[in-house]
Amino acid sequence: MTQHDHEPQGVSRRRLVSTVGAAGATGMAVGATGGAVAQAVARTDRKAPTPLSSVGSTRVPFHGKHQAGITTPLQAFGHLLAFDLVSGAGRKQAAKLLKRWSRTARELMAGESTADSTGIALDAGPSSLSVTFGFGRSFFSRTGLEKERPRELAPLPDFSGDALDKDLSNGDLWVQIGCNDGLVAFDALREIQRQADGTARLRWQMNGFTRTPGATKRPMTMRNLMGQVDGTNNPKRSEEDFDRRIFVPSSSSPAWMADGSYAVVRRIRMLLDTWDKESLSEQEKVIGRRKSDGAPLTGGTEDTDPDLEKRDADGSPAIAADAHVRVTAPATNGGAAMLRRPFSYHDGFRDDGAPDAGLLFIAWQADPQRGFVPVQRKLDRGDALSRFIRHEASGLFAVPGGPSKGEYVGQRLLEG
Amino acid sequence: MTQHDHEPQGVSRRRLVSTVGAAGATGMAVGATGGAVAQAVARTDRKAPTPLSSVGSTRVPFHGKHQAGITTPLQAFGHLLAFDLVSGAGRKQAAKLLKRWSRTARELMAGESTADSTGIALDAGPSSLSVTFGFGRSFFSRTGLEKERPRELAPLPDFSGDALDKDLSNGDLWVQIGCNDGLVAFDALREIQRQADGTARLRWQMNGFTRTPGATKRPMTMRNLMGQVDGTNNPKRSEEDFDRRIFVPSSSSPAWMADGSYAVVRRIRMLLDTWDKESLSEQEKVIGRRKSDGAPLTGGTEDTDPDLEKRDADGSPAIAADAHVRVTAPATNGGAAMLRRPFSYHDGFRDDGAPDAGLLFIAWQADPQRGFVPVQRKLDRGDALSRFIRHEASGLFAVPGGPSKGEYVGQRLLEG
């Protein structure tokens, strides 16, 4: 299916940015809009002699074994949305919506204009846009698909430190948008939201951000709003058991979740005014890592495993008993592992004057009962960091495997 | 003054990112932290063989004739903050605050760590960070400086279309932060806010965004959340009267505003659900420009002047009488001009389900009575666009000229 099937009058963003230097050759091929395209290219080219950088031109594949947005490198902008089916909408309507959403995701991720484009993303490349879709526990009762509900969607346990806002938690459907350009991301958000009209209504929405590509040389791990290097202990794709820990096996049950993953989403507010008043050494003691480079307090570099047995000259543990890095260490959690891929968020200031900011924690795993849950149980009991954070929202979503060509996300569930 | 005066134990972000490929040569010079720096550089270098791009390494000068953030190319992230002096704080305390703020702005814009760094920006280059400071009308009575209050700070007139939230309007002090990296921007925001502690309290704060560098080839004009090319008619720096229109002359009164500018700030919400339901041709009629490339409906390219006299075959004006481009055309406003340098904003969704999104309109001019005010008066009377927007907040700030070396912003006012 070519883009022309869906955009008889639109201007292809991909073509718009790719015809530079070849406007003569391709300008003829774009039909009625060719003149305008060639003109726009010539004009922007004249204004900015440097080519569109890889930031704009990078495309994330929509089709594949797994959905995009899980092992995709973190993007600068993120949007999380949850929807509830409206009264009267069931399996059939949900299937139509996922079909619309999938088509839009495929087109936008390829840098193409959609049939009902808002125009916000015009001129820009896809900028590593990814759109990821998931199903919440409530989706299955609403659509009569209880039999297909994975046991992995059992409600997360209550944690003593939780202060969850139900209106900002869970939901029938979940969409994660990531993009290195804020306008392309917003365009995707608007199109996704408009296409839900009449079938599902927005339950909650959160906006996040991380580093801009090229702003730092540190590629895999980012810093969070506490200033700490975040994500060091993430499983690496090069590790033998990465796939087994993060993705549902092809042969598992239910069959429609083959090659999928489970996303735990937590909105974790950081008490930054309290945190920032602590000394550097106190902050490092809470985490168990150096702030400057993320190396464990027992030495080495960021990649060095913390030496949890090491003791200081006075006999006390070099990494405190309640240090975050000790409590979360895979070695102390029976090898539990999840792939954390969070965005930071900052929604201004609360009525009490504190910053409304923190982490949109997103963790991916083949089974939350062996990933997030045991680790969070331990954190809940004795993590020095808990004084400085509040879990304010929570969601758990089943994210099916990636679509094959011609397939839409969730088709194996909805037409299975 | 070198950075070592302020950061005896800190790690210089600038050095951290600039020693790659020369770690041996410069690693010796950074004293106690040299080892860690060289190590971090080597490690990040190993992980990411590509060098830090210009996105991260670009510095905006703090010192100069004008403050940064006026003619500086738009950055991907923006924060606007307004503060009110606390009870008991006067001219002396304000001077100390502006001195602290200026030092921090200078250091962060140079990519250096500050004495009380949050660490959030570690590893990153300055990423075109700019910090701009301004004074609101109320500042002058609070500090006994009424005599120095510019007549240009006279309150803006009421416009019939205004629905202003006073709590989100005006303020004693105004800070604009722009940066191509979200974490560097947030770090600056936190440091600016913490340094105000005890002297001024936050009155309001707004977060915005624009394009990421490299996402598009269109450099000077951006698209707003309506999808329209925005900023086409901006005066160009190459134009003879640019400085006269945008900056206060060196010989003007009051003397402390020499080479400064006046910023009009409006939070303009867009009724996107209404707008997006209009057809493309109706949207283009409202604006008077093509959505695809910003060219006027009377033809040409984005840079072509609209032909306001042109009529269609049926005798009606080719650009409607109430088209936004006609009402705002300099030709119909006695040559009034302002430099618009806006960010888009998106704060999620309102209780009524509509997106809380639009434009953080920021307009720069030598005199708002000859820039923003006459244009907005005309818009208020008959702009087709007014059906789709709401002015929800407003501010007017006197932004003094840029500091010389050793000077802080506002020194000429506060010690004049």
Side-chain angles (χ1 to χ4, degrees):
Chain A
M1 185 178 284
T2 72
Q3 68 189 62
H4 283 103
D5 294 336
H6 290 302
E7 46 170 45
Q9 303 182 314
V11 174
S12 160
R13 284 190 283 125
R14 182 161 55 91
R15 184 168 290 124
L16 183 66
V17 299
S18 65
T19 49
V20 175
T26 61
M28 302 297 290
V30 296
T33 60
V37 172
Q39 210 167 54
V41 168
R43 289 198 50 263
T44 52
D45 199 29
R46 178 170 55 75
K47 278 188 178 176
T50 51
L52 184 79
S53 81
S54 62
V55 170
S57 61
T58 301
R59 293 171 55 166
V60 175
F62 173 71
H63 299 107
K65 188 174 180 185
H66 310 298
Q67 283 194 63
I70 303 174
T71 58
T72 306
L74 261 172
Q75 302 103 329
F77 292 86
H79 298 297
L80 308 182
L81 301 90
F83 294 86
D84 288 333
L85 292 174
V86 299
S87 172
R91 175 177 174 167
K92 198 173 150 188
Q93 290 75 20
K96 281 187 183 166
L97 176 57
L98 267 296
K99 211 168 189 169
R100 289 197 295 273
W101 275 355
S102 292
R103 191 181 70 191
T104 295
R106 175 175 57 74
E107 291 173 345
L108 293 179
M109 287 167 65
E112 300 168 3
S113 271
T114 56
D116 57 348
S117 165
T118 64
I120 300 168
L122 279 170
D123 318 317
S127 309
S128 298
L129 176 70
S130 66
V131 187
T132 317
F133 302 98
F135 300 94
R137 182 177 169 82
S138 53
F139 179 82
F140 298 86
S141 43
R142 300 260 180 124
T143 51
L145 286 164
E146 289 94 341
K147 276 190 189 165
E148 296 295 331
R149 188 171 65 201
R151 63 158 186 78
E152 287 83 354
L153 282 188
L156 296 175
D158 292 332
F159 299 104
S160 67
D162 285 358
L164 304 182
D165 181 337
K166 285 193 175 173
D167 293 339
L168 293 179
S169 297
N170 296 312
D172 293 349
L173 293 159
W174 179 67
V175 185
Q176 171 193 258
I177 295 167
C179 188
N180 279 325
D181 181 74
L183 293 177
V184 174
F186 186 79
D187 177 57
L189 177 145
R190 285 293 290 163
E191 298 212 29
I192 290 293
Q193 193 211 346
R194 286 161 59 197
Q195 287 170 0
D197 203 30
T199 303
R201 64 167 182 72
L202 193 69
R203 179 180 173 90
W204 53 258
Q205 189 234 311
M206 302 174 188
N207 301 328
F209 63 98
T210 63
R211 276 269 142 83
T212 299
T216 172
K217 291 185 67 62
R218 190 183 282 274
M220 282 302 290
T221 48
M222 54 165 267
R223 287 185 188 271
N224 60 35
L225 298 189
M226 287 176 158
Q228 296 290 344
V229 174
D230 197 321
T232 303
N233 253 339
N234 258 343
K236 314 283 183 295
R237 290 187 78 175
S238 56
E239 289 166 1
E240 202 187 348
D241 55 358
F242 180 88
D243 274 9
R244 186 179 58 77
R245 288 173 162 195
I246 307 307
F247 294 112
V248 176
S250 303
S251 58
S252 77
S253 168
W256 67 270
M257 270 298 286
D259 305 317
S261 187
Y262 292 89
V264 171
V265 181
R266 310 279 285 190
R267 186 180 191 268
I268 305 176
R269 183 160 62 91
M270 294 171 168
L271 310 186
L272 292 177
D273 286 340
T274 312
W275 175 256
D276 286 344
K277 285 195 183 88
E278 301 285 342
S279 67
L280 177 63
S281 65
E282 180 59 30
Q283 291 181 350
E284 294 185 334
K285 205 177 142 197
V286 165
I287 303 293
R289 291 187 179 277
R290 278 206 301 258
K291 198 168 184 179
S292 61
D293 63 357
L297 293 183
T298 46
T301 68
E302 183 192 342
D303 289 336
T304 308
D305 284 331
D307 180 354
L308 301 176
E309 308 301 319
K310 189 172 177 180
R311 289 180 177 270
D312 287 338
D314 66 358
S316 60
I319 292 178
D322 62 355
H324 186 70
V325 72
R326 180 188 292 276
V327 185
T328 57
T332 70
N333 287 291
M338 50 190 162
L339 180 68
R340 286 162 292 146
R341 192 179 182 280
F343 295 93
S344 290
Y345 75 91
H346 173 217
D347 293 341
F349 289 82
R350 292 155 47 96
D351 290 342
D352 63 6
D356 196 4
L359 199 68
L360 302 180
F361 173 96
I362 305 168
W364 299 92
Q365 60 255 291
D367 182 355
Q369 299 299 328
R370 290 186 293 126
F372 174 78
V373 171
V375 176
Q376 187 59 29
R377 275 219 175 92
K378 280 194 63 180
L379 287 170
D380 199 40
R381 281 198 296 269
D383 174 20
L385 189 60
S386 60
R387 275 204 296 134
F388 303 99
I389 58 177
R390 294 285 179 275
H391 285 242
E392 296 191 333
S394 177
L396 171 58
F397 303 98
V399 173
S404 311
K405 298 231 160 151
E407 202 186 20
Y408 63 88
V409 177
Q411 184 168 341
R412 295 165 219 170
L413 166 66
L414 294 161
E415 301 183 16
Chain B
M1 184 178 287
T2 72
Q3 67 189 62
H4 284 102
D5 294 336
H6 291 301
E7 47 170 46
Q9 304 181 314
V11 175
S12 160
R13 283 190 286 125
R14 182 163 55 92
R15 185 167 291 123
L16 183 67
V17 298
S18 65
T19 50
V20 176
T26 61
M28 302 297 290
V30 296
T33 60
V37 171
Q39 211 168 52
V41 168
R43 288 198 51 262
T44 54
D45 199 30
R46 177 170 56 74
K47 279 189 177 175
T50 51
L52 184 80
S53 80
S54 62
V55 170
S57 61
T58 300
R59 294 171 54 166
V60 175
F62 173 71
H63 299 107
K65 189 173 180 184
H66 311 298
Q67 283 194 64
I70 303 174
T71 58
T72 305
L74 261 173
Q75 301 103 329
F77 292 86
H79 297 299
L80 308 182
L81 301 90
F83 295 85
D84 287 333
L85 292 172
V86 299
S87 173
R91 174 177 176 167
K92 199 172 150 188
Q93 289 76 17
K96 281 186 182 166
L97 175 58
L98 266 296
K99 211 169 189 169
R100 289 196 295 274
W101 276 354
S102 293
R103 192 182 69 192
T104 295
R106 175 174 57 74
E107 291 173 345
L108 292 179
M109 286 168 65
E112 299 168 3
S113 272
T114 56
D116 57 349
S117 166
T118 64
I120 300 167
L122 278 170
D123 319 316
S127 309
S128 298
L129 176 71
S130 67
V131 188
T132 317
F133 302 97
F135 300 93
R137 180 177 170 83
S138 53
F139 179 83
F140 298 85
S141 42
R142 300 260 179 124
T143 50
L145 286 164
E146 289 92 342
K147 275 190 189 164
E148 295 295 333
R149 186 170 65 203
R151 64 159 185 77
E152 287 83 355
L153 283 188
L156 296 175
D158 293 331
F159 299 105
S160 66
D162 285 357
L164 304 182
D165 181 338
K166 286 193 174 172
D167 293 339
L168 294 178
S169 297
N170 296 311
D172 293 350
L173 292 159
W174 179 68
V175 185
Q176 172 193 256
I177 295 167
C179 188
N180 279 324
D181 181 74
L183 293 177
V184 174
F186 186 79
D187 177 58
L189 177 146
R190 285 292 291 164
E191 297 214 30
I192 291 292
Q193 193 211 344
R194 287 160 59 196
Q195 287 170 0
D197 202 30
T199 304
R201 64 168 181 74
L202 193 68
R203 179 181 173 91
W204 53 257
Q205 189 234 310
M206 301 173 189
N207 301 329
F209 63 98
T210 63
R211 276 268 143 83
T212 299
T216 173
K217 293 186 66 62
R218 191 183 280 272
M220 283 301 290
T221 47
M222 55 167 265
R223 287 185 188 270
N224 60 36
L225 297 189
M226 287 175 158
Q228 297 289 344
V229 173
D230 196 322
T232 304
N233 253 338
N234 258 343
K236 314 283 183 295
R237 291 188 78 174
S238 56
E239 290 168 0
E240 202 186 350
D241 54 358
F242 179 88
D243 274 9
R244 186 179 59 78
R245 287 173 162 194
I246 308 306
F247 295 111
V248 176
S250 303
S251 58
S252 76
S253 168
W256 66 270
M257 269 299 286
D259 305 317
S261 186
Y262 292 89
V264 171
V265 181
R266 310 278 284 190
R267 186 181 192 268
I268 305 176
R269 181 161 62 90
M270 294 170 168
L271 311 186
L272 292 177
D273 285 339
T274 312
W275 175 256
D276 286 345
K277 286 196 183 88
E278 301 285 343
S279 67
L280 177 63
S281 66
E282 179 60 29
Q283 291 181 350
E284 292 186 334
K285 204 177 142 195
V286 165
I287 303 293
R289 290 187 180 278
R290 279 206 300 259
K291 199 168 184 179
S292 60
D293 63 356
L297 293 184
T298 46
T301 68
E302 183 192 341
D303 289 338
T304 308
D305 283 331
D307 181 354
L308 302 176
E309 308 300 321
K310 190 171 176 180
R311 288 179 179 271
D312 287 338
D314 66 358
S316 60
I319 292 177
D322 62 354
H324 187 70
V325 72
R326 179 187 292 275
V327 185
T328 57
T332 68
N333 286 292
M338 49 191 162
L339 179 68
R340 286 162 293 147
R341 191 179 182 280
F343 295 92
S344 291
Y345 75 90
H346 173 217
D347 292 342
F349 288 82
R350 293 155 48 96
D351 290 343
D352 63 5
D356 196 5
L359 199 68
L360 302 180
F361 172 96
I362 306 168
W364 298 92
Q365 59 255 293
D367 182 354
Q369 300 298 329
R370 290 186 292 126
F372 174 78
V373 171
V375 176
Q376 188 58 30
R377 275 218 175 93
K378 280 194 62 181
L379 288 171
D380 200 39
R381 281 198 297 266
D383 174 21
L385 189 59
S386 61
R387 274 203 297 135
F388 303 98
I389 58 176
R390 293 286 180 275
H391 285 243
E392 297 191 333
S394 177
L396 171 59
F397 303 99
V399 173
S404 312
K405 298 229 160 152
E407 202 185 20
Y408 63 87
V409 177
Q411 183 167 341
R412 296 164 218 170
L413 166 65
L414 294 161
E415 300 183 17

